């Protein structure tokens, strides 16, 4: 993707939308010091350029009984592109896996899973991740407390 040049109003719009995705056009315009029509045009251009993606509502994990965050490092048996592709498809099929990154260094992947309790994670790990034919080993780390969590990018 080609990097987009943003002016100060575009940046202000992005900062506000990252915190308040459901804000009205009128209030957004007021907050960024532009007209509603100008904000609408800018948002449309940012969407077309791929800068603004889908709009979502965040759910409180504790409120729905899914407050346990687990970070799982995975080492693959091989770096064969086919095996990695199969593993990535497998990971994408598990709803409890919220994030997965292909990594440099000692571990090949880092996964963030959100579950209700240790037993739920054990099922994912023992009947899922560790049974995948491409996985050599893993190491799991349970988050004790969330110190900082944001979805807003620094703009």
């Amino acid at each position: 993707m080609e990097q987009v040049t943003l002016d100060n109003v575009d940046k202000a719009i992005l900062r506000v939308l990252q915190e308040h995705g459901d804000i009205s056009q009128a209030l957004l315009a007021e907050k960024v010091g532009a007209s509603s029509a100008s904000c609408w045009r800018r948002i449309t251009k940012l969407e077309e350029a791929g800068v603004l993606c889908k709009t979502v509502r965040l759910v409180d994990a504790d409120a729905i009984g899914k407050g346990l965050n687990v970070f799982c490092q995975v080492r693959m048996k091989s770096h064969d592109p086919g095996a990695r592709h199969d593993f990535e498809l497998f990971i994408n099929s598990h709803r409890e896996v919220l994030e997965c990154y292909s990594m440099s260094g000692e571990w090949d992947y880092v996964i963030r899973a959100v579950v209700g309790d240790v037993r739920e994670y054990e099922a994912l790990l023992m009947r899922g991740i560790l049974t995948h034919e491409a996985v050599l080993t893993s190491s799991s780390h349970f988050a004790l407390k969330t110190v900082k969590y944001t979805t807003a990018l620094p703009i």
Side-chain angles (χ1 to χ4, degrees), residues 54-70:
K54 64 184 177 179
T55 302
V56 300
R57 294 294 302 257
L58 300 178
V59 175
D60 184 300
D62 289 323
I64 62 164
K66 299 290 182 181
L68 183 60
N69 274 284
V70 186

Side-chain angles (χ1 to χ4, degrees), residues 9-10 12-14 16-17 23-47 52:
V9 175
D10 291 331
I13 288 170
L14 293 176
V16 171
L17 289 178
I23 193 169
S24 71
Q25 290 283 338
L27 187 53
L28 176 62
E30 183 182 316
K31 285 187 175 281
V32 302
S35 70
S36 289
S38 173
C39 283
W40 180 81
R41 284 191 300 273
R42 288 170 178 269
I43 289 170
T44 300
K45 284 183 181 178
L46 291 167
E47 288 170 342
L52 283 173

Side-chain angles (χ1 to χ4, degrees), residues 98-133:
L98 299 188
E99 299 175 77
C100 179
Y101 300 94
S102 176
M103 304 296 291
S104 64
E106 186 178 343
W107 296 94
D108 297 308
Y109 289 94
V110 172
I111 297 164
R112 177 176 160 242
V114 175
V115 293
D117 57 29
V118 173
R119 284 190 184 157
E120 191 177 339
Y121 179 68
E122 179 190 25
L124 171 65
L125 181 67
M126 297 303 207
R127 289 185 238 137
I129 294 168
L130 290 178
T131 63
H132 193 280
E133 61 187 25

